[in-house]
Structure formats: structure tokens, C-alpha cells
Amino acid sequence: MSIQLKSTPLDDGFRMPAEHEPHAGIWMAWPERADNWRYGGKPAQNVFINVAKAISKNTKVTMVVGSGQYENARAQLPEDIQLIEMSTDDSWMRDIGPSYVVNNKGIRRGVDWEFNAWGGLVDGLYFPWDKDDAVAQKVCEVLTDDSYRAPIILEGGSIHVDGEGTLYTTEECLLHPSRNPELSKDEIEQVLKQYLSIEKVIWLPQGLYNDETNGHVDNLMHIVAPGEVVLTWCDDVSDPQYAISRKARDILTAETDAKGRQIIVHKLPMPGPLYITEEEARGVDICDGMVRESGERLAGSYANYLISNNHIIFPLLDEKTDQQAETILAKLYPGYQLSGVDAREILLGGGNIHCITQQIPAV
Ligand code: KQY
């Protein structure tokens, strides 16, 4: 049984663990939305399978899929990947799945944020989004975990926590008029403190250039360890990313985290810049929300990787920089396994490996 609680995780002694803490599983959702994924999601499905296979080397993977694609997905996925029929509007489990919190008695609970497709009727990417909004609660029910319905619109990719009291986010996303315009910055911080038991929020001004999520932090940087982050870097002064990354670095190095540590910032090269080709744009159905035009700049970033049980699953995006990114990640995570997955197809849908996965902590 799974109950929706009226209290808050802070009141109940639950905190959100960092991604580098142990996982019981990773959840994903099968892509098939034709106005986001080209050719009805067929090329993307292959890449999601590759990501799921890579993760499943160390962690159990559960994929959810709509009824119409169940048979196809089951036939293509290895047997050890669990498949569950569940309706969704698209396939970004990081944003539609629960953010989990745990306590020190070995209990975990889900936090179910309100979801409005990255901006609702202001600048959201599709309508309706009710099936996506229901996913977090359904995941908790399948796992028989109790949950909290948090009273703000928030996507999992817009926050990173270090498990020791610090949360990283961007003003571009959390203060965007399309999320919670009735709340001040301080009120949003109070909700994050109540629902994730964090003590300090580090606000970066902007996310990656031209990111259709309104600047999710998970596409700009990742937490390596408490007090240590890796940040997308760009050395081309004429690129809009140049100033964004510098500003983020300046804030991070001037800040201390919740435990008073000075934050160490490592740099990750930016792939590209990458653009949608004419051939890639041709396969996507036209819609109102998502721009999939030939020549559109893609928000590509190596920071959009998943950490799961001492394994880094990272996107391969540009043969000029892939090796450099892998070398940096290998140095940052000594003793971890590293799997690069060709991920341009996920990038064409507007995100990457971190955005399509959500971890369930081990307790
Ligand atoms: O990056 C993400 N967390 C999600 C991207 C959504 C893009 C929808 N087309």
C-alpha cells in the first residue's frame, strides 16, 4: 500500500540523498511522441535501449511504456529490464518521476512535484500534460512507497542535491514566470527546504544556452561529491555559453556550501556547438511548443550524465570532444565504471541521459 502524506519530509526526518549514493533501481519511459522524436521515436527507442542496457550492468532498470508500444518495447528490451505499462505524455523520467527522500531507519518516500510540461500555457512544450503529472504518484504506488505531493511546479532536472544539505539550481528555471510566479525566491527556498531537507540553495543565474527547459541545472553541471562540481565550459568568447559558464564558475567559487566548504569547480568541455540538420528536422511532426527547425542550436552537454552505483553513463555527442570528456570524468570518479552512449538522438528531443532517467535510492 502507498499513502499520500500531508506532512513534509523535513517534519518527518527525511532528506534527499545525492545521486552518487546507492540505488535500488533506475526508471525510464519509452519515447514515442512524434512531435518531439523524429520518425515516431524509432531512432530514439534504439538509443533508450542502449542507455537502459548500459545502466543495467550495475542497476536494475524499469521502463514504463504506453499500451500501444508495449509489445514492441518488450520484444526489443532485454529480459532483465522490467517493463510496466503506464501512460505518459512523453519520456523524461527525471522530470515526471518522483524525487526520493530517505530517513535513517531505512525508509524511502517519493516527492511528487506538480508538472506543467516545462512552462504550462506560458511557454510549455506541449498540452495536455496530465498523464506526465500523474507518473510520480504511480511510480510510488508500484513501489509501495508513501509520497508527498509538493505544492510547487518543479522538474527533477532543475535541481541537484549533494545529500549533505546543499541544493544547486538556476534562477532562469525556478524563478521563470511559467513555473511559480506567485512565489518569491525566498518562498521557493522554503518549499525546497521543507520537501528535500536541504539547508542551503546555490542559485546560478542561467542554464545552458538555448535549453528549452528554461535552463535546467542538470544540463549545465553535475555534483561530483559534496563541495565538488563539474561545470560545462566554453572557451569561445563569441559563443553565448562563454559568459554563462564564467558567471556560474564565479558564483560557485565565491560560495560555500551548507557545510561551509569552498566549492571546487572542474571544467567539462562543451561539445560542438551542435545544430539540428535538415535531415533530422524533417522527421519530426510540427507542433506549437518545440522548435525542431534545421539550424536550431542544440543544448548539448556532457554534464547531463547519470551516476548509478559507481557507474557513470554519459552521452557521446561530438567526436572532437568525447574522448576529452571521458578522460575528465574518469579522473573525477576514480574506481567508477564509465559507459559512453551515442546520445545525439536524445539531444534532438531536447535533453540527455540524466533527463531520461530517475534513480530510486536503496534503503
Ligand atoms: O532536459 C530535460 N530534463 C527534459 C527536456 C524536455 C524536452 C522536451 N522536448
Side-chain angles (χ1 to χ4, degrees):
M1 205 175 77
S2 156
I3 298 169
Q4 238 194 11
L5 300 151
K6 296 284 169 246
S7 50
T8 72
L10 180 64
D11 294 341
D12 298 343
F14 283 72
R15 63 156 189 117
M16 184 172 176
E19 197 172 308
H20 49 259
E21 294 180 49
H23 297 173
I26 293 288
W27 281 56
M28 299 175 64
W30 189 252
E32 56 176 294
R33 193 181 170 103
D35 60 0
N36 190 50
W37 306 103
R38 60 182 172 143
Y39 305 117
K42 293 303 148 196
Q45 288 167 9
N46 288 330
V47 178
F48 275 52
I49 292 168
N50 293 339
V51 171
K53 282 183 179 167
I55 298 167
S56 68
K57 288 182 207 162
N58 285 19
T59 308
K60 178 187 164 180
V61 176
T62 300
M63 181 82 73
V64 304
V65 61
S67 57
Q69 278 288 307
Y70 185 90
E71 203 178 336
N72 176 41
R74 184 65 286 167
Q76 295 194 63
L77 286 164
E79 277 173 10
D80 64 337
I81 293 175
Q82 181 184 37
L83 190 62
I84 294 185
E85 190 179 314
M86 188 181 287
S87 11
T88 63
D89 296 298
D90 201 359
S91 39
W92 304 95
M93 191 52 92
R94 175 67 48 190
D95 296 338
I96 61 177
S99 300
Y100 261 90
V101 289
V102 297
N103 73 359
N104 55 16
K105 297 192 183 88
I107 302 173
R108 69 170 181 234
R109 292 176 176 169
V111 177
D112 169 12
W113 309 100
E114 289 177 34
F115 177 79
N116 74 351
W118 308 275
L121 300 181
V122 178
D123 69 342
L125 299 179
Y126 46 74
F127 174 87
W129 53 78
D130 55 307
K131 295 189 188 73
D132 275 351
D133 190 28
V135 167
Q137 176 61 25
K138 291 181 183 177
V139 171
C140 293
E141 288 198 20
V142 172
L143 293 171
T144 64
D145 293 323
D146 293 342
S147 66
Y148 303 91
R149 176 72 168 171
I152 57 169
I153 290 165
L154 185 135
E155 304 96 40
S158 69
I159 53 166
H160 267 313
V161 300
D162 71 353
E164 296 190 3
T166 309
L167 181 145
Y168 297 83
T169 191
T170 66
E171 293 172 346
E172 181 186 354
C173 184
L174 263 64
L175 304 186
H176 197 276
S178 67
R179 299 310 203 279
N180 301 286
E182 70 291 354
L183 297 182
S184 67
K185 189 174 184 177
D186 186 55
E187 286 166 330
I188 291 172
E189 282 202 12
Q190 294 315 316
V191 177
L192 295 171
K193 286 176 179 167
Q194 280 294 325
Y195 283 82
L196 300 172
S197 291
I198 50 103
E199 290 148 34
K200 179 162 185 178
V201 180
I202 295 185
W203 293 91
L204 303 178
Q206 275 175 274
L208 208 75
Y209 174 67
N210 211 33
D211 185 331
E212 66 185 5
T213 64
N214 305 117
H216 274 189
V217 76
D218 73 343
N219 210 21
L220 179 71
M221 55 153 275
H222 212 314
I223 296 174
V224 178
E228 199 176 341
V229 304
V230 63
L231 175 70
T232 302
W233 198 250
C234 167
D235 277 319
D236 178 358
V237 196
S238 65
D239 193 297
Q241 189 57 44
Y242 179 91
I244 297 173
S245 292
R246 263 164 185 74
K247 187 78 193 151
R249 190 263 324 260
D250 292 349
I251 290 172
L252 288 163
T253 50
E255 275 282 7
T256 50
D257 70 6
K259 296 276 182 270
R261 282 176 289 239
Q262 283 226 295
I263 298 161
I264 301 165
V265 182
H266 303 280
K267 296 176 188 167
L268 258 185
M270 185 185 78
L274 305 171
Y275 301 90
I276 307 186
T277 66
E278 204 180 318
E279 201 268 325
E280 287 166 338
R282 214 178 296 132
V284 189
D285 286 2
I286 309 291
C287 75
D288 216 13
M290 294 169 281
V291 185
R292 298 287 180 265
E293 280 158 18
S294 155
E296 178 77 9
R297 170 92 171 247
L298 292 161
S301 158
Y302 293 109
N304 207 310
Y305 60 88
L306 174 73
I307 313 169
S308 189
N309 292 332
N310 298 330
H311 184 190
I312 307 290
I313 304 94
F314 70 98
L316 298 174
L317 293 166
D318 180 351
E319 52 192 26
K320 293 197 299 298
T321 39
D322 286 348
Q323 188 52 55
Q324 214 185 327
E326 177 164 357
T327 305
I328 293 168
L329 292 172
K331 264 198 203 131
L332 293 179
Y333 293 96
Y336 278 53
Q337 193 175 348
L338 249 80
S339 298
V341 180
D342 191 337
R344 182 169 174 95
E345 210 60 44
I346 314 177
L347 177 59
L348 292 174
N352 228 298
I353 293 175
H354 195 254
C355 309
I356 63 167
T357 52
Q358 180 61 261
Q359 69 274 4
I360 312 297
V363 283

mmCIF file of all heavy atoms in Angstrom, residues 1 51 62 93 112 116 119-120 132 148-149 161 164 198 233 242 247 259-260 265 268 270 273 286 294 302 335 343 362:
data_model
loop_
_atom_site.group_PDB
_atom_site.id
_atom_site.type_symbol
_atom_site.label_atom_id
_atom_site.label_comp_id
_atom_site.label_asym_id
_atom_site.label_seq_id
_atom_site.Cartn_x
_atom_site.Cartn_y
_atom_site.Cartn_z
ATOM 1 N N MET A 1 0.829 -1.207 0.000
ATOM 2 C CA MET A 1 0.000 0.000 0.000
ATOM 3 C C MET A 1 0.868 1.264 0.000
ATOM 4 O O MET A 1 1.991 1.234 0.499
ATOM 5 C CB MET A 1 -0.884 0.006 1.248
ATOM 6 C CG MET A 1 -2.130 0.821 1.069
ATOM 7 S SD MET A 1 -3.235 0.715 2.495
ATOM 8 C CE MET A 1 -2.445 1.789 3.659
ATOM 9 N N VAL A 51 20.910 2.968 -23.578
ATOM 10 C CA VAL A 51 21.103 3.578 -22.250
ATOM 11 C C VAL A 51 20.660 2.583 -21.175
ATOM 12 O O VAL A 51 21.377 2.351 -20.182
ATOM 13 C CB VAL A 51 20.316 4.912 -22.126
ATOM 14 C CG1 VAL A 51 20.328 5.430 -20.688
ATOM 15 C CG2 VAL A 51 20.881 5.966 -23.081
ATOM 16 N N THR A 62 13.806 -0.177 -14.787
ATOM 17 C CA THR A 62 12.381 -0.344 -15.072
ATOM 18 C C THR A 62 12.012 0.678 -16.134
ATOM 19 O O THR A 62 12.298 1.870 -15.974
ATOM 20 C CB THR A 62 11.534 -0.106 -13.805
ATOM 21 O OG1 THR A 62 11.936 -1.049 -12.814
ATOM 22 C CG2 THR A 62 10.041 -0.280 -14.094
ATOM 23 N N MET A 93 11.774 10.950 -17.601
ATOM 24 C CA MET A 93 11.514 10.433 -16.257
ATOM 25 C C MET A 93 12.156 11.287 -15.157
ATOM 26 O O MET A 93 11.642 11.365 -14.045
ATOM 27 C CB MET A 93 11.989 8.974 -16.171
ATOM 28 C CG MET A 93 11.537 8.243 -14.938
ATOM 29 S SD MET A 93 9.744 8.317 -14.624
ATOM 30 C CE MET A 93 9.145 6.865 -15.449
ATOM 31 N N ASP A 112 6.379 14.143 -5.014
ATOM 32 C CA ASP A 112 5.666 14.257 -6.292
ATOM 33 C C ASP A 112 5.414 15.743 -6.552
ATOM 34 O O ASP A 112 4.516 16.342 -5.975
ATOM 35 C CB ASP A 112 4.353 13.449 -6.144
ATOM 36 C CG ASP A 112 3.377 13.671 -7.271
ATOM 37 O OD1 ASP A 112 3.757 14.256 -8.293
ATOM 38 O OD2 ASP A 112 2.203 13.246 -7.116
ATOM 39 N N ASN A 116 4.190 20.868 -15.297
ATOM 40 C CA ASN A 116 3.407 21.580 -16.320
ATOM 41 C C ASN A 116 4.111 21.657 -17.675
ATOM 42 O O ASN A 116 3.987 22.647 -18.397
ATOM 43 C CB ASN A 116 2.997 22.986 -15.824
ATOM 44 C CG ASN A 116 4.164 23.968 -15.818
ATOM 45 O OD1 ASN A 116 5.311 23.577 -16.016
ATOM 46 N ND2 ASN A 116 3.876 25.235 -15.595
ATOM 47 N N GLY A 119 6.538 24.722 -18.457
ATOM 48 C CA GLY A 119 6.085 26.096 -18.654
ATOM 49 C C GLY A 119 4.600 26.276 -18.874
ATOM 50 O O GLY A 119 4.152 27.411 -19.097
ATOM 51 N N GLY A 120 3.811 25.214 -18.809
ATOM 52 C CA GLY A 120 2.351 25.335 -18.899
ATOM 53 C C GLY A 120 1.897 26.123 -20.111
ATOM 54 O O GLY A 120 2.462 26.004 -21.202
ATOM 55 N N ASP A 132 1.703 12.865 -17.696
ATOM 56 C CA ASP A 132 3.046 13.036 -17.114
ATOM 57 C C ASP A 132 2.950 13.427 -15.644
ATOM 58 O O ASP A 132 3.713 12.945 -14.807
ATOM 59 C CB ASP A 132 3.815 14.142 -17.857
ATOM 60 C CG ASP A 132 4.517 13.637 -19.117
ATOM 61 O OD1 ASP A 132 4.544 12.406 -19.322
ATOM 62 O OD2 ASP A 132 5.016 14.471 -19.885
ATOM 63 N N TYR A 148 4.691 12.396 -0.903
ATOM 64 C CA TYR A 148 4.244 13.750 -0.571
ATOM 65 C C TYR A 148 3.927 14.453 -1.886
ATOM 66 O O TYR A 148 4.744 14.390 -2.809
ATOM 67 C CB TYR A 148 5.363 14.547 0.106
ATOM 68 C CG TYR A 148 5.921 13.931 1.365
ATOM 69 C CD1 TYR A 148 7.016 13.061 1.317
ATOM 70 C CD2 TYR A 148 5.387 14.253 2.608
ATOM 71 C CE1 TYR A 148 7.553 12.526 2.481
ATOM 72 C CE2 TYR A 148 5.917 13.722 3.771
ATOM 73 C CZ TYR A 148 6.998 12.857 3.702
ATOM 74 O OH TYR A 148 7.533 12.327 4.852
ATOM 75 N N ARG A 149 2.812 15.139 -1.966
ATOM 76 C CA ARG A 149 2.537 15.974 -3.133
ATOM 77 C C ARG A 149 3.036 17.377 -2.781
ATOM 78 O O ARG A 149 2.446 18.070 -1.930
ATOM 79 C CB ARG A 149 1.038 15.982 -3.443
ATOM 80 C CG ARG A 149 0.620 16.894 -4.590
ATOM 81 C CD ARG A 149 1.034 16.378 -5.947
ATOM 82 N NE ARG A 149 0.361 17.140 -7.023
ATOM 83 C CZ ARG A 149 0.665 17.031 -8.312
ATOM 84 N NH1 ARG A 149 1.624 16.206 -8.716
ATOM 85 N NH2 ARG A 149 0.015 17.724 -9.229
ATOM 86 N N VAL A 161 21.147 17.837 -5.726
ATOM 87 C CA VAL A 161 21.468 17.940 -4.296
ATOM 88 C C VAL A 161 22.719 17.128 -3.985
ATOM 89 O O VAL A 161 23.005 16.138 -4.652
ATOM 90 C CB VAL A 161 20.313 17.443 -3.385
ATOM 91 C CG1 VAL A 161 19.042 18.243 -3.605
ATOM 92 C CG2 VAL A 161 20.053 15.951 -3.568
ATOM 93 N N GLU A 164 24.098 16.424 1.514
ATOM 94 C CA GLU A 164 24.603 16.951 2.795
ATOM 95 C C GLU A 164 24.128 18.383 3.006
ATOM 96 O O GLU A 164 24.834 19.208 3.577
ATOM 97 C CB GLU A 164 26.131 16.861 2.838
ATOM 98 C CG GLU A 164 26.614 15.424 2.802
ATOM 99 C CD GLU A 164 28.104 15.274 3.091
ATOM 100 O OE1 GLU A 164 28.769 16.288 3.377
ATOM 101 O OE2 GLU A 164 28.582 14.132 3.022
ATOM 102 N N ILE A 198 16.949 20.261 2.607
ATOM 103 C CA ILE A 198 18.248 20.890 2.330
ATOM 104 C C ILE A 198 18.362 22.140 3.213
ATOM 105 O O ILE A 198 17.345 22.622 3.750
ATOM 106 C CB ILE A 198 18.424 21.239 0.834
ATOM 107 C CG1 ILE A 198 17.213 21.998 0.297
ATOM 108 C CG2 ILE A 198 18.606 19.984 0.025
ATOM 109 C CD1 ILE A 198 17.386 23.411 0.134
ATOM 110 N N TRP A 233 31.961 24.011 -19.844
ATOM 111 C CA TRP A 233 32.852 25.148 -20.075
ATOM 112 C C TRP A 233 32.977 25.432 -21.561
ATOM 113 O O TRP A 233 32.906 24.512 -22.380
ATOM 114 C CB TRP A 233 34.229 24.820 -19.483
ATOM 115 C CG TRP A 233 35.066 26.035 -19.291
ATOM 116 C CD1 TRP A 233 36.175 26.377 -20.000
ATOM 117 C CD2 TRP A 233 34.847 27.078 -18.343
ATOM 118 N NE1 TRP A 233 36.664 27.571 -19.542
ATOM 119 C CE2 TRP A 233 35.866 28.024 -18.526
ATOM 120 C CE3 TRP A 233 33.884 27.309 -17.358
ATOM 121 C CZ2 TRP A 233 35.957 29.183 -17.762
ATOM 122 C CZ3 TRP A 233 33.964 28.453 -16.601
ATOM 123 C CH2 TRP A 233 34.991 29.380 -16.804
ATOM 124 N N TYR A 242 29.860 31.124 -23.355
ATOM 125 C CA TYR A 242 31.098 31.602 -22.707
ATOM 126 C C TYR A 242 30.775 32.369 -21.417
ATOM 127 O O TYR A 242 31.264 32.049 -20.333
ATOM 128 C CB TYR A 242 31.856 32.482 -23.710
ATOM 129 C CG TYR A 242 33.146 33.065 -23.192
ATOM 130 C CD1 TYR A 242 34.351 32.383 -23.354
ATOM 131 C CD2 TYR A 242 33.168 34.311 -22.564
ATOM 132 C CE1 TYR A 242 35.549 32.928 -22.889
ATOM 133 C CE2 TYR A 242 34.353 34.852 -22.099
ATOM 134 C CZ TYR A 242 35.541 34.158 -22.265
ATOM 135 O OH TYR A 242 36.708 34.699 -21.798
ATOM 136 N N LYS A 247 30.095 33.097 -15.487
ATOM 137 C CA LYS A 247 29.283 33.639 -14.387
ATOM 138 C C LYS A 247 29.004 32.530 -13.357
ATOM 139 O O LYS A 247 29.119 32.742 -12.142
ATOM 140 C CB LYS A 247 27.978 34.202 -14.967
ATOM 141 C CG LYS A 247 27.129 34.926 -13.980
ATOM 142 C CD LYS A 247 27.652 36.340 -13.704
ATOM 143 C CE LYS A 247 26.971 36.920 -12.489
ATOM 144 N NZ LYS A 247 27.759 37.878 -11.747
ATOM 145 N N LYS A 259 27.732 23.006 4.369
ATOM 146 C CA LYS A 259 28.670 22.606 5.439
ATOM 147 C C LYS A 259 29.840 23.570 5.552
ATOM 148 O O LYS A 259 30.856 23.270 6.194
ATOM 149 C CB LYS A 259 29.200 21.185 5.167
ATOM 150 C CG LYS A 259 28.128 20.100 5.211
ATOM 151 C CD LYS A 259 27.875 19.627 6.646
ATOM 152 C CE LYS A 259 26.854 18.528 6.719
ATOM 153 N NZ LYS A 259 25.470 18.991 6.866
ATOM 154 N N GLY A 260 29.754 24.686 4.820
ATOM 155 C CA GLY A 260 30.802 25.701 4.914
ATOM 156 C C GLY A 260 32.026 25.416 4.056
ATOM 157 O O GLY A 260 33.046 26.098 4.167
ATOM 158 N N VAL A 265 35.446 23.595 -8.473
ATOM 159 C CA VAL A 265 34.760 23.535 -9.774
ATOM 160 C C VAL A 265 35.703 22.937 -10.820
ATOM 161 O O VAL A 265 36.774 23.486 -11.089
ATOM 162 C CB VAL A 265 34.311 24.943 -10.223
ATOM 163 C CG1 VAL A 265 33.562 24.869 -11.550
ATOM 164 C CG2 VAL A 265 33.435 25.597 -9.156
ATOM 165 N N LEU A 268 34.187 20.854 -17.788
ATOM 166 C CA LEU A 268 33.934 19.844 -18.813
ATOM 167 C C LEU A 268 33.796 20.584 -20.142
ATOM 168 O O LEU A 268 33.068 21.586 -20.199
ATOM 169 C CB LEU A 268 32.586 19.157 -18.555
ATOM 170 C CG LEU A 268 32.504 17.785 -17.935
ATOM 171 C CD1 LEU A 268 31.056 17.315 -17.919
ATOM 172 C CD2 LEU A 268 33.381 16.758 -18.643
ATOM 173 N N MET A 270 32.496 21.827 -23.733
ATOM 174 C CA MET A 270 31.169 21.805 -24.364
ATOM 175 C C MET A 270 31.317 21.135 -25.739
ATOM 176 O O MET A 270 32.240 21.458 -26.475
ATOM 177 C CB MET A 270 30.695 23.249 -24.546
ATOM 178 C CG MET A 270 29.292 23.365 -25.072
ATOM 179 S SD MET A 270 28.866 25.089 -25.395
ATOM 180 C CE MET A 270 29.701 25.383 -26.943
ATOM 181 N N PRO A 273 29.773 23.820 -30.951
ATOM 182 C CA PRO A 273 28.313 23.836 -30.856
ATOM 183 C C PRO A 273 27.627 22.952 -31.903
ATOM 184 O O PRO A 273 28.080 22.839 -33.034
ATOM 185 C CB PRO A 273 27.957 25.314 -31.047
ATOM 186 C CG PRO A 273 29.135 25.935 -31.706
ATOM 187 C CD PRO A 273 30.327 25.141 -31.298
ATOM 188 N N ILE A 286 5.306 18.649 -36.881
ATOM 189 C CA ILE A 286 5.260 20.062 -36.481
ATOM 190 C C ILE A 286 4.332 20.215 -35.270
ATOM 191 O O ILE A 286 3.278 19.580 -35.217
ATOM 192 C CB ILE A 286 4.700 20.939 -37.630
ATOM 193 C CG1 ILE A 286 5.450 20.667 -38.944
ATOM 194 C CG2 ILE A 286 4.691 22.423 -37.258
ATOM 195 C CD1 ILE A 286 6.870 21.134 -38.989
ATOM 196 N N SER A 294 15.682 23.047 -38.886
ATOM 197 C CA SER A 294 17.056 22.872 -39.333
ATOM 198 C C SER A 294 17.890 24.104 -38.943
ATOM 199 O O SER A 294 17.440 25.237 -39.107
ATOM 200 C CB SER A 294 17.002 22.668 -40.837
ATOM 201 O OG SER A 294 18.182 23.043 -41.424
ATOM 202 N N TYR A 302 27.943 17.434 -21.852
ATOM 203 C CA TYR A 302 28.396 16.171 -21.232
ATOM 204 C C TYR A 302 28.003 16.093 -19.758
ATOM 205 O O TYR A 302 28.062 15.022 -19.165
ATOM 206 C CB TYR A 302 29.921 16.043 -21.345
ATOM 207 C CG TYR A 302 30.408 15.880 -22.764
ATOM 208 C CD1 TYR A 302 31.099 16.903 -23.406
ATOM 209 C CD2 TYR A 302 30.175 14.701 -23.460
ATOM 210 C CE1 TYR A 302 31.554 16.755 -24.708
ATOM 211 C CE2 TYR A 302 30.624 14.543 -24.774
ATOM 212 C CZ TYR A 302 31.309 15.582 -25.380
ATOM 213 O OH TYR A 302 31.744 15.431 -26.674
ATOM 214 N N GLY A 335 37.851 4.643 -9.909
ATOM 215 C CA GLY A 335 37.236 3.381 -9.473
ATOM 216 C C GLY A 335 35.833 3.169 -10.017
ATOM 217 O O GLY A 335 35.258 2.103 -9.856
ATOM 218 N N ALA A 343 24.443 9.606 -27.998
ATOM 219 C CA ALA A 343 23.200 10.170 -27.453
ATOM 220 C C ALA A 343 22.669 11.356 -28.255
ATOM 221 O O ALA A 343 21.826 12.106 -27.761
ATOM 222 C CB ALA A 343 23.428 10.574 -26.003
ATOM 223 N N ALA A 362 18.503 3.138 -2.696
ATOM 224 C CA ALA A 362 18.495 1.885 -1.945
ATOM 225 C C ALA A 362 18.331 2.244 -0.472
ATOM 226 O O ALA A 362 18.894 3.221 -0.009
ATOM 227 C CB ALA A 362 19.808 1.161 -2.157
#
